Amino acid sequence: MSTVAALLTPRKSPVQARSAVTVGALHTAAIQVLVREGLSRCTTTRIAERAGTSIGSLYQYYPNRDALLVAVLERHLTGISTAVEQVCREQRGRRIDVMAAALVRRFLAAKLRDPEEAKALYAVAEERGGVLLAARMRERTVAAVAAMLGSASDARFDDVCLVATMALGAMFGPTQTMLRGAAPSESGACFERELVLLVTAYWRAYQSAPDRVGDTPTGTA
Amino acid sequence: MSTVAALLTPRKSPVQARSAVTVGALHTAAIQVLVREGLSRCTTTRIAERAGTSIGSLYQYYPNRDALLVAVLERHLTGISTAVEQVCREQRGRRIDVMAAALVRRFLAAKLRDPEEAKALYAVAEERGGVLLAARMRERTVAAVAAMLGSASDARFDDVCLVATMALGAMFGPTQTMLRGAAPSESGACFERELVLLVTAYWRAYQSAPDRVGDTPTGTA
DNA sequence: CGAGTATGTGAGGGATCGTTCAGTTTCTGA
DNA sequence: TCAGAAACTGAACGATCCCTCACATACTCG
């Protein structure tokens, strides 16, 4: 185990039932404190207090504060990556518009399962341990989407990896801005439809015109 | 002046020449410490030390640490908002593919002027004062892009505000992931072309089919 | 039952951080 | 020239914060 990983990896795993309860309480407490107080005020004291346990219990399972926060972030990102990988396997060989609709639906379902959690974890993803973890998770999802795109029945992509990265980024950006905005259940359906339209239109551009577009526009007029 | 704004607004403005030098040094020092140490280790002591000044000078111009960081973020976001507003004025009445190419070009030029700065400031934008500032700046840019889209000569949008928000988010997401990746000068031109393709394809979907797409695909096939 | 293990507790050490303020230096304008 | 204003300095204070450790409690299994 490398030095940096050792500092961010859980110390030991719970074997009895009550210890599993403790780590679960620490996870939810960390998220709650993160939402209410912000990352800079998300301290070990406050987390343990809200979890109803003691500081010592926290340090039995995590070597430091960042390890706990990274563990919470990892659970969040793993849920999204797994959902994307699953939908990408299911949609192999389909048409790209079907792929786009299924991908957006599953991505949003996983991301918006707990909007407060998703919103608060953006701050953790900006810290040193968070960016590395997010990079690993993004590699997984990009690979899955790229494999799906390569099997499309009605389009050819010269660089599936690039297109997958762009598509995931195009889904991530609007989702992030929407999470900062109003209640997510307000215009959720409208947002999903628009996101499907965005990804579909992007991928359909590769059906007819695999070359670049826009630098010397001579198109429809 | 409201209470929250008073805590994040600069204390006084420099009148002599050397004081302007001091605040400039504080700005660049804050960015450098932010890049090298991260937000949690970006302390007033380190900023003043790197700027070659003293702690006291910092507190003559900013009431607290966050005010300095927010000021740095504001300068960054204002540059981008101004660039977007300018290009949106210039492109009024044009075709949507011309609009997309110009918008992407100017946006990336402003955002990638100093990639290290842009990368580091994502963390500041996640703090309490940063999200408010980013929200205000996003309002400005969304309004500008929406006005431009409403004047397009070859497309009609039912909700220009929604489309502008989605397009800006679709530009922001991939840009953020690219900044975390390899050197920005590596495949910068390729990235810009792909981003133009993405936005162009999205807006062109409104030329022919202003309705939603993807929920019950009955399209090209 | 009882020895050994797993788990829980929280006061306190050591370090760092944000901020103040009394005193010094530099500049400006009459 | 010189008095007042502007700018600079950095030691020190109070407030946290992260984390350790000696000890108490709960559980397991022969």
Side-chain angles (χ1 to χ4, degrees):
Chain A
M1 184 180 289
S2 82
T3 64
V4 57
L7 295 175
L8 291 174
T9 301
R11 220 163 216 174
K12 72 177 180 183
S13 299
V15 327
Q16 297 179 5
R18 55 189 176 133
S19 63
V21 172
T22 299
V23 303
L26 286 173
H27 271 231
T28 64
I31 293 172
Q32 290 175 354
V33 175
L34 206 55
V35 169
R36 284 164 176 72
E37 308 273 0
L39 178 57
S40 62
R41 293 177 58 85
C42 186
T43 71
T44 54
T45 308
R46 271 185 267 263
I47 293 175
E49 185 182 19
R50 178 140 207 109
T53 67
S54 65
I55 302 284
S57 292
L58 192 158
Y59 281 94
Q60 270 202 330
Y61 301 100
Y62 301 98
N64 50 57
R65 186 196 76 139
D66 289 353
L68 170 56
L69 293 177
V70 167
V72 174
L73 177 64
E74 182 168 26
R75 201 183 52 167
H76 177 80
L77 293 180
T78 301
I80 299 172
S81 295
T82 305
V84 169
E85 286 176 336
Q86 183 186 337
V87 73
C88 286
R89 270 195 307 272
E90 294 170 356
Q91 301 295 323
R92 281 211 179 125
R94 302 283 179 86
R95 295 202 317 259
I96 49 175
D97 52 358
V98 180
M99 286 179 175
L103 175 64
V104 168
R105 171 177 293 273
R106 290 279 290 151
F107 172 80
L108 285 184
K111 187 83 186 174
L112 304 182
R113 174 192 300 270
D114 186 343
E116 296 284 355
E117 171 182 322
K119 199 195 308 182
L121 285 177
Y122 282 131
V124 179
E126 295 296 337
E127 278 207 334
R128 210 169 287 283
V131 291
L132 270 70
L133 183 63
R136 281 211 311 271
M137 290 299 174
R138 200 174 54 236
E139 275 184 46
R140 279 180 51 180
T141 59
V142 165
V145 172
M148 178 181 73
L149 284 179
S151 75
S153 63
D154 58 343
R156 286 287 147 206
F157 302 91
D158 6 307
D159 189 345
V160 285
C161 209
L162 172 66
V163 176
T165 303
M166 298 289 297
L168 283 170
M171 293 163 55
F172 172 79
T175 304
Q176 187 175 9
T177 68
M178 193 211 62
L179 275 172
R180 301 213 184 295
S185 58
E186 182 186 337
S187 56
C190 174
F191 175 76
E192 181 175 325
R193 270 192 280 116
E194 201 67 18
L195 208 53
V196 170
L197 172 63
L198 172 64
V199 178
T200 304
Y202 174 46
W203 287 349
R204 274 189 178 155
Y206 278 94
Q207 283 184 319
S208 51
D211 293 331
R212 63 217 177 287
V213 170
D215 32 9
T216 307
T218 56
T220 35
Chain B
M1 183 179 290
S2 82
T3 63
V4 56
L7 295 174
L8 292 173
T9 302
R11 217 163 218 174
K12 72 178 182 185
S13 299
V15 326
Q16 296 180 8
R18 58 188 173 131
S19 63
V21 172
T22 299
V23 302
L26 286 174
H27 270 230
T28 63
I31 293 171
Q32 290 175 353
V33 175
L34 207 54
V35 170
R36 285 163 175 73
E37 307 273 2
L39 177 58
S40 61
R41 293 177 58 86
C42 186
T43 71
T44 54
T45 309
R46 270 185 266 264
I47 292 174
E49 184 182 22
R50 178 138 208 113
T53 67
S54 65
I55 300 284
S57 292
L58 192 158
Y59 280 92
Q60 272 203 328
Y61 301 100
Y62 301 98
N64 50 57
R65 185 195 77 139
D66 289 354
L68 170 56
L69 293 177
V70 166
V72 174
L73 177 64
E74 182 167 26
R75 201 182 53 169
H76 178 79
L77 293 180
T78 300
I80 298 171
S81 295
T82 305
V84 169
E85 286 176 336
Q86 183 185 339
V87 73
C88 286
R89 271 194 306 272
E90 294 170 358
Q91 300 296 322
R92 283 214 177 121
R94 302 282 180 87
R95 293 203 317 258
I96 49 175
D97 52 357
V98 180
M99 286 178 175
L103 175 63
V104 168
R105 170 178 293 273
R106 290 280 288 150
F107 172 81
L108 285 183
K111 186 83 189 175
L112 303 181
R113 175 193 299 272
D114 186 343
E116 297 283 356
E117 172 182 321
K119 199 194 311 182
L121 285 177
Y122 282 131
V124 179
E126 296 295 338
E127 277 205 336
R128 209 169 286 284
V131 291
L132 268 70
L133 183 64
R136 280 210 310 271
M137 290 298 176
R138 199 174 54 236
E139 275 184 46
R140 277 180 52 180
T141 59
V142 165
V145 173
M148 177 181 74
L149 283 179
S151 75
S153 63
D154 60 343
R156 287 286 149 205
F157 302 90
D158 6 306
D159 189 346
V160 285
C161 209
L162 172 65
V163 176
T165 303
M166 297 291 297
L168 284 171
M171 293 164 57
F172 171 79
T175 304
Q176 188 175 7
T177 69
M178 193 209 65
L179 276 171
R180 302 214 183 294
S185 59
E186 181 186 336
S187 56
C190 174
F191 175 76
E192 180 174 327
R193 269 192 282 113
E194 202 66 18
L195 208 53
V196 170
L197 172 63
L198 171 65
V199 178
T200 304
Y202 174 47
W203 287 348
R204 275 189 177 156
Y206 278 93
Q207 286 183 318
S208 52
D211 293 330
R212 64 216 178 285
V213 170
D215 33 10
T216 307
T218 55
T220 36

